[in-house]
């Protein structure tokens, strides 16, 4: 620098005024011409470089053409001048705070044609340290400023790809690191560049770097290299299929210390499960997991390759000491159509030894992945160790576990099997074994509330509603579940026993002999009513506690809504358990502070009205006056408030955890990271598709037929119009057949008519085919219709039995059968 | 699980005019399918396939890049030549223009590829000629077999006529080229450093065993 400023002073003279800087620059620029001596050009470049910081604009305006010329002609030959000119250009193009425009202007000049860019990619082939380094820096800057332009030049550069790969292989760390940074920008959003670099072996080179840096234990270089790999693969199906052809997919597993050949029945090794974690490693592993998730996602979950990945994810999320955020990430990356055999994979969960600072871990009893997943959802990580913690991270993880569970039970058979499993508990007489889910669902609310239990029960309502949601059979089974009459309100998960500890003795709970076991549904409505009672005492005293009660109430209400929907038997049971009183009160006493509960109660009330189709003590006619008194408009208004509530609106398919602060009362300052759960996406979806039916139902006369239990207007219209089509086509076929007959009779006209017959035959075939399709479609609809009318007849019989008036207007089932037979 | 799964990985490129059937040949090779209306390739697509050369007792993994034929993409295509061990230079036997243009594609290959690259000239779409092969006109053929063969001989190229539609000679084309490459390897024409398109399944010493075939599972399926 000294040298530079001396040159500068020498050139401008000791008393140089600002104007003479411009003169100096002009003079120096002239000296860049190829006609001067190389040594002079070198000196000129160095001086210009010194001036660039203070006179960026003038240097750019005057010297850029000459500098580019020098780059072109001299950089390759003379490393010193090469380095100097590259650095000068870099300074000119760099966009810094005050001179944003200027950097871009210079960049545009440099990129005015492909020449300079091609020179730069050629210079990358130069092994001189300074040349490579400075070239990489300049390219990075140009890419940051005008990526598209550089990318399009790169694609035409004679040896672009090979020289980029060459710098990736450079043994000198600084060069290699800088090249990774440059490549990240170069490949961004350009599938063609991604492909050509993959072809040239970029994956292999990048993973070499990762491995040399110590894998996921490596620093920011590992991270950048993994980012590059991610960039080469994401949105690039061609590269993904190439990548799968390499041994790299199993290398990804090895990076995580997961054995790539682990069989389903084998346990994951402890070195995988228990690792030391720091922030850098978390970032690296997060990238590896992201890449793996992308490869699973693009292939579907069926293939053997991705099943090892899925196993790895499950082990990481459920049986490792990885940080919470990573566990959440892996759960979210599992495929939504999860076919992995969760219930038959056995894994070993761990728990930190208290006060060991995460350095010692207890191994717990092996359990099926499904059990551990449910346990994680219900109680949180590590056997509920932090069950009362409301940290957003922890809740996100539990929410993600709920979503995975939901995806897993997508098939009705699985739902039924699990619900069936909850039944068996009543059989065993001594030491009542109770499913953890059922237990969590039935914990009686205690005042003051136990924070851990509120979350546990709330999540249990979410999980349970996934088991029942749109599964009439599961609902039927669930109605017969009778949990043991006394549920011990245990504060946290108790379903895993440390491997070296003794199993817990039978719970010493006194069972009241007279207390016959109640059904879950009954128990839930009782708990709900208890909650309302405690909640009403809360008003105006402890807002935070009130909010907890509200949350629990919302959980019960959402579960009940999804359970009772289209299940008239459950509706009856709920009503007989005293539902009306429980629901009406909150609707009546709307409080300022809470907008969700009354709306949800209104929804449930309307739903009970709509589906109260079983004979019983409480009929539609019992409910109708209550609805009238509350006012249909009021009820609908309250339901609208639910839809407008932030806690409802903010829910997406992948996000159910909200920051606690949304409505946090003044004076309380909960930790920033505190979160809370109100709804999950399944309920929001359910509400959106069904709230209108309920609203419409409010206004219906008690004697109106159920609107959603018969064929709705739309399908009735469809059936009607299909029937018309068939009739028309049958007619057409008849006509054609007659015509054919007539044609074949008239022998004299045979020749003329022959062609007509052929035409008609094809026409006939076509319409017959069409008719078959329509017939098939109609058959399906009729089967459906038949099921519905059987049900309706049954309902009517019940209603008649119950002494209700039943309309006789629609004995139409038989006519439909006739149409079907033709 | 799987023991040895392949002995060599060979990189192939497929080049030639647009619409001669390059993508179709690749799809035929890897998926045993033929699409009447394939998407015109925008960039380069990738496919791979294991083939066996019984008389050598070798299993070969073909990694095949399908290049786009239009002029605007030609500069990208060149990048691929350098790294390839084998090249399928394709023309359409029902299009003389595509055969004439094959000369300029070959010039490109010669200019950019490894001098030892094995190139096979493939006259595609022969199925179109055989429809009425009994007749005198020999269908829509515009390039006689002899002419293709003659030019291949002149240029020192392998030669085959094939059809992506019927599958005829598609695998054979790749096999013929692979045999030639194996032969060159045997004769010591390549050394490992000089042909980026050939990789042994043995780990290179000291380095990460990235190219070790046996490390990958389930690839034979
Ligand atoms: N009859 C016939 N058509 C073919 C054959 N191969 C390709 N085609 C058709 O030729 C057209 C161009 O094929 P395509 O694979 O896209 O050519 P590319 O541009 O070279 O990749 C498509 O309509 C293909 O269906 C073949 O062997 N026989
Ligand atoms: Mg194509």
């Amino acid at each position: 620098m000294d040298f530079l400023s001396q040159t500068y002073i020498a050139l401008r003279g000791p008393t140089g005024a600002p104007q003479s800087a411009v003169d100096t620059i002009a003079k120096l620029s002239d000296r860049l011409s190829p006609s001067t001596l190389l040594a002079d050009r070198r000196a000129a470049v160095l001086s210009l470089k010194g001036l660039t910081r203070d006179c960026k604009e003038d240097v750019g305006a005057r010297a850029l053409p000459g500098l580019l010329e020098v780059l072109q002609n001299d950089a390759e030959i003379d490393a010193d001048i090469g380095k100097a000119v590259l650095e000068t250009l870099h300074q000119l193009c760099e966009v810094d705070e005050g001179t944003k425009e200027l950097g871009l202007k210079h960049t545009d000049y440099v990129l005015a044609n492909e020449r300079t860019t091609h020179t730069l990619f050629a210079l990358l082939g130069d092994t001189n340290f300074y040349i490579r380094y400075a070239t990489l820096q300049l390219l990075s800057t140009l890419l940051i400023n005008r990526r598209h332009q550089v990318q399009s030049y790169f694609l035409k550069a004679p040896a672009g790809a090979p020289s980029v790969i060459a710098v990736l292989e450079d043994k000198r760390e600084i060069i290699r690191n800088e090249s990774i940074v440059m490549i990240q920008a170069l490949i961004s959003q350009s599938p063609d560049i991604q492909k050509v670099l993959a072809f040239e072996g970029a994956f292999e080179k990048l993973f070499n770097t990762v491995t040399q840096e110590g894998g996921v234990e490596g620093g920011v270089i590992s991270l950048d290299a993994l980012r590059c790999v991610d960039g080469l693969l994401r949105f690039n199906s061609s590269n993904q299929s190439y990548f799968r052809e390499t041994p790299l997919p199993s290398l990804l597993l090895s990076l995580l210390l997961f054995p790539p050949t682990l069989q389903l029945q084998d346990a994951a090794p402890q070195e995988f499960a228990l690792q030391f974690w720091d922030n850098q490693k978390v970032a690296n592993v997060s990238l590896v997991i992201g890449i793996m998730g992308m490869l699973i996602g693009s292939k579907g979950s069926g293939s053997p390759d991705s099943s090892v990945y899925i196993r790895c994810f499950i082990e990481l999320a459920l049986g490792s000491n990885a940080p919470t955020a990573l566990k959440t990430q892996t759960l979210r990356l599992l495929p939504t159509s999860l076919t992995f055999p969760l219930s038959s994979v056995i894994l070993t969960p761990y728990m930190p030894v208290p006060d060991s600072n995460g350095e010692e871990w207890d191994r717990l009893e092996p359990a099926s992945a499904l059990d551990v997943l449910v346990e994680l959802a219900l109680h949180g990580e590590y056997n509920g160790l932090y069950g009362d913690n409301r940290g957003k991270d922890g809740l996100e993880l539990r929410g993600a576990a709920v979503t995975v569970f939901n995806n897993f039970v997508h098939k009705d058979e699985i739902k039924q099997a699990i619900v069936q499993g909850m039944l068996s508990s009543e059989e065993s007489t001594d030491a009542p074994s109770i499913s953890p889910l059922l237990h969590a669902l039935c914990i009686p609310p205690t005042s003051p509330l136990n924070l851990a239990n509120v979350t546990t029960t709330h999540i249990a309502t979410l999980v349970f509603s996934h088991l029942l949601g749109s599964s009439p059979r599961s609902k039927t089974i669930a109605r017969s579940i009778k949990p043991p009459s006394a549920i011990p309100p245990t504060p946290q998960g108790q379903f895993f026993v440390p491997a070296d500890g003794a199993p817990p003795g039978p719970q010493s709970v006194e069972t009241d002999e007279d207390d016959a076991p109640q059904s879950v549904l009954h128990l839930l409505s009782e708990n709900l009513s208890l909650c309302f009672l405690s909640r009403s005492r809360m008003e105006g005293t402890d807002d935070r506690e009130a909010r907890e009660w509200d949350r629990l109430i919302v959980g019960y209400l959402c579960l009940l809504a999804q359970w009772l929907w289209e299940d008239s038997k459950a509706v009856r049971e709920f009503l007989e358990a005293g539902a009306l009183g429980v629901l009406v009160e909150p609707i009546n006493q709307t409080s300022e502070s809470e907008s969700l509960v009354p709306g949800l109660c209104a929804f449930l009330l309307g739903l009970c009205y709509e589906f109260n189709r079983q004979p019983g003590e409480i009929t539609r006619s019992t409910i109708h006056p209550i609805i009238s008194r509350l006012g249909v408009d009021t009820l609908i208004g309250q339901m609208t408030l639910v839809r407008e509530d932030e806690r409802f609106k903010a829910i997406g398919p992948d996000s159910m955890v909200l920051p606690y602060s949304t409505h946090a009362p003044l004076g309380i300052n909960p930790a920033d990271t505190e979160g809370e759960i109100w709804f999950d996406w399944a309920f929001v979806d359910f509400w959106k598709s069904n709230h209108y039916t309920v609203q419409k139902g409010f206004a219906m006369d008690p004697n109106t037929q159920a609107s959603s239990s018969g064929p709705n207007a739309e399908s009735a219209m469809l059936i009607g119009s299909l029937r018309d089509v068939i009739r028309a086509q049958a007619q057409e076929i008849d006509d054609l057949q007659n015509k054919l007959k007539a044609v074949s009779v008239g022998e004299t006209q045979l020749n003329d008519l022959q062609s007509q017959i052929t035409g008609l035959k094809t026409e006939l075939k076509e319409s017959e085919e069409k008719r078959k399709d329509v017939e098939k479609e109609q058959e399906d609809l009729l089967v459906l219709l038949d099921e519905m009318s059987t049900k309706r007849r049954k309902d009517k019989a019940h209603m008649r039995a119950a002494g209700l008036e039943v309309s006789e207007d629609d004995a139409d089932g038989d006519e439909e059968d006739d149409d079907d037979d033709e | 699980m799987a023991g040895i799964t392949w002995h060599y990985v060979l990189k192939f490129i497929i080049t030639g005019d647009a619409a001669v059937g390059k993508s179709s040949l690749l799809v035929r090779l890897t998926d045993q399918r033929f699409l009447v209306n394939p998407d015109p390739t925008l960039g380069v697509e990738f496919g791979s396939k294991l083939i066996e050369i019984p008389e050598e007792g070798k299993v070969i993994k073909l990694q095949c890049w399908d290049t786009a034929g239009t002029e605007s993409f030609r500069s990208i295509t060149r990048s691929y030549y350098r790294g390839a061990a084998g090249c399928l230079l394709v023309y359409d036997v029902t299009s003389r223009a595509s055969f004439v243009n094959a000369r300029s594609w070959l010039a490109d290959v010669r200019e950019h590829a490894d001098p030892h690259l094995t190139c096979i000239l493939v006259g595609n779409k022969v199925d179109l000629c055989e429809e009425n092969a009994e007749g005198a006109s020999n269908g829509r053929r515009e390039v006689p077999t002899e002419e293709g063969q003659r030019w291949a001989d002149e240029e020192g190229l392998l030669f085959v006529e094939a059809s992506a539609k019927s599958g005829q000679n598609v695998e054979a084309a790749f096999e013929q080229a692979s045999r030639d490459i194996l032969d060159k390897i045997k004769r010591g024409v390549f050394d490992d450093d000089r042909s980026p398109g050939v990789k042994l399944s043995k780990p290179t010493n000291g380095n990460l065993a990235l190219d070790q075939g046996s490390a990958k599972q389930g690839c034979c399926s």
Side-chain angles (χ1 to χ4, degrees), chain B residues 23 39-41 66:
Chain B
S23 309
D39 278 350
T41 316
D66 163 25

Side-chain angles (χ1 to χ4, degrees), chain A residues 195-196 199 211 244-245 247, chain B residues 11 44 48 61 208 210 216:
Chain A
K195 278 180 204 160
V196 76
F199 178 88
T211 328
R244 284 208 189 83
E245 292 298 325
Chain B
K11 287 189 179 183
V44 178
S48 91
K61 181 176 201 112
L208 235 189
L210 289 178
K216 166 98 159 98

Side-chain angles (χ1 to χ4, degrees), chain A residues 155-156 162 192 195-196 199-200 204 207-208 211 238 241-242 244-248 250 260-261 305 308, chain B residues 6 11 43-46 48 61 63 65 73 75-76 79-80 82-84 199 207-208 210 212 215-217:
Chain A
L155 284 171
K156 298 205 186 111
D192 284 322
K195 278 180 204 160
V196 76
F199 178 88
E200 294 281 353
E204 286 78 0
F207 275 104
N208 273 336
T211 328
S238 174
S241 30
Y242 170 65
R244 284 208 189 83
E245 292 298 325
T246 69
L248 297 170
S250 29
T261 54
D305 277 354
V308 188
Chain B
W6 63 81
K11 287 189 179 183
V44 178
E45 292 302 328
F46 172 81
S48 91
K61 181 176 201 112
Q63 291 188 333
W65 273 263
F73 287 103
S75 53
I76 315 171
S79 308
Y80 291 86
R82 197 186 141 272
K199 282 182 179 169
N207 217 346
L208 235 189
L210 289 178
Q212 188 171 15
K216 166 98 159 98
Q217 44 160 207

